[in-house]
Amino acid sequence: MFDGRAVAFRLPGGNPALSAVVVNGDSFAAVDGREKAVYLYSAQGKLLEGFPTVRAYETIVKMGNTGYLALPRCVCRRFSYRVYVLNCAFEEVGCLDLQVLEEGDCETLMDLFYTEEGEILGAFRYGLRSFDSAGNQTSCEKDRSLRFLYNVARNGALTALHRRLEWGDGVTVSREGESVTGILSCRLALRDLLPWGEDGFYGLFGYRYQYNYLLPVYKDGRLCLPEETALLDFLQNIPPCS
């Protein structure tokens, strides 16, 4: 079970994982944006199964109990806001196009998240946009001072953002107007945020290219980002990759 401890895993092809999603309390899945596959792991990081897919996905998120939403690595502007729908077996069963307003901004869709209310959150380069289940934009929070917004995740009333700030990349967790921000260690690359438990978040981190780590970044009401001086302690207490 996920209990706030770190988890290490390695993808079969040796590529860095770009996104991960908790399937249930005993497993998670990961994608790398290169291989046409979704890989399923135990909560301890052991590879359980690989599911072939019709395209390579670089982002995957849970869509309630019915399946998943996924983003491919897209270089075609025509399909840059297209989101694919997968069933519980990671089979592609449909797609929808996010109806982004103010397209003249040419913003890049960096990440997405599906909320418990059926809302789709899109992390764009300069801000956060919300969409209904049909892909229609319902709100937009833009802030060009952010430079980049990389990831978004929500857990109940908590919202977590991974973004670039003036003094480095950081994670901000907010609830009802109150927020706390922490700066990330430059030794680890944060690639995704995952809700965990009732009020926590895990981060998907990369270290030395092909090794991936799920580390808690928010639990018990506080940020717990791995710091530079504690990095070796984290790695020494993570079981070897399977």
Side-chain angles (χ1 to χ4, degrees), residues 157-206:
L158 292 172
T159 299
L161 300 175
H162 169 210
R163 52 187 182 166
R164 183 181 299 173
L165 304 170
E166 292 183 2
W167 52 91
D169 285 4
V171 173
T172 297
V173 178
S174 59
R175 183 206 304 261
E176 299 176 351
E178 297 183 356
S179 64
V180 57
T181 298
I183 303 302
L184 293 162
S185 165
C186 62
R187 297 281 298 277
L188 288 170
L190 177 60
R191 300 190 179 115
D192 202 3
L193 292 168
L194 299 77
W196 161 65
E198 295 182 356
D199 59 357
F201 294 96
Y202 264 90
L204 170 63
F205 290 89

Side-chain angles (χ1 to χ4, degrees), residues 92-213:
E92 195 173 290
V93 294
C95 67
L96 62 92
D97 291 309
L98 300 182
Q99 303 303 310
V100 177
L101 304 180
E102 304 173 42
E103 287 193 50
D105 291 343
C106 296
E107 288 197 55
T108 302
L109 177 58
M110 311 293 287
D111 191 23
L112 77 162
F113 187 81
Y114 189 86
T115 72
E116 296 176 353
E117 295 75 27
E119 178 184 37
I120 300 173
L121 302 180
F124 287 78
R125 179 173 295 180
Y126 296 117
L128 186 67
R129 297 174 187 255
S130 300
F131 303 84
D132 61 23
S133 58
N136 300 305
Q137 182 175 309
T138 56
S139 69
C140 177
E141 302 174 22
K142 299 182 68 174
D143 185 352
R144 291 188 178 273
S145 65
L146 294 177
R147 302 182 184 179
F148 281 99
L149 175 60
Y150 295 108
N151 301 107
V152 60
R154 183 169 289 174
N155 192 347
L158 292 172
T159 299
L161 300 175
H162 169 210
R163 52 187 182 166
R164 183 181 299 173
L165 304 170
E166 292 183 2
W167 52 91
D169 285 4
V171 173
T172 297
V173 178
S174 59
R175 183 206 304 261
E176 299 176 351
E178 297 183 356
S179 64
V180 57
T181 298
I183 303 302
L184 293 162
S185 165
C186 62
R187 297 281 298 277
L188 288 170
L190 177 60
R191 300 190 179 115
D192 202 3
L193 292 168
L194 299 77
W196 161 65
E198 295 182 356
D199 59 357
F201 294 96
Y202 264 90
L204 170 63
F205 290 89
Y207 179 71
R208 293 182 178 175
Y209 187 73
Q210 63 182 245
Y211 299 99
N212 309 283
Y213 302 93

Side-chain angles (χ1 to χ4, degrees), residues 18 32-34 55-59 70-84 95-98 106-112 124-125:
L18 299 183
D32 63 11
R34 296 184 182 184
R55 69 191 84 245
Y57 304 113
E58 63 178 10
T59 299
L71 290 177
R73 186 182 293 275
C74 183
V75 295
C76 176
R77 174 158 174 76
R78 180 183 176 186
F79 302 113
S80 57
Y81 301 139
R82 177 159 293 180
V83 178
Y84 291 91
C95 67
L96 62 92
D97 291 309
L98 300 182
C106 296
E107 288 197 55
T108 302
L109 177 58
M110 311 293 287
D111 191 23
L112 77 162
F124 287 78
R125 179 173 295 180

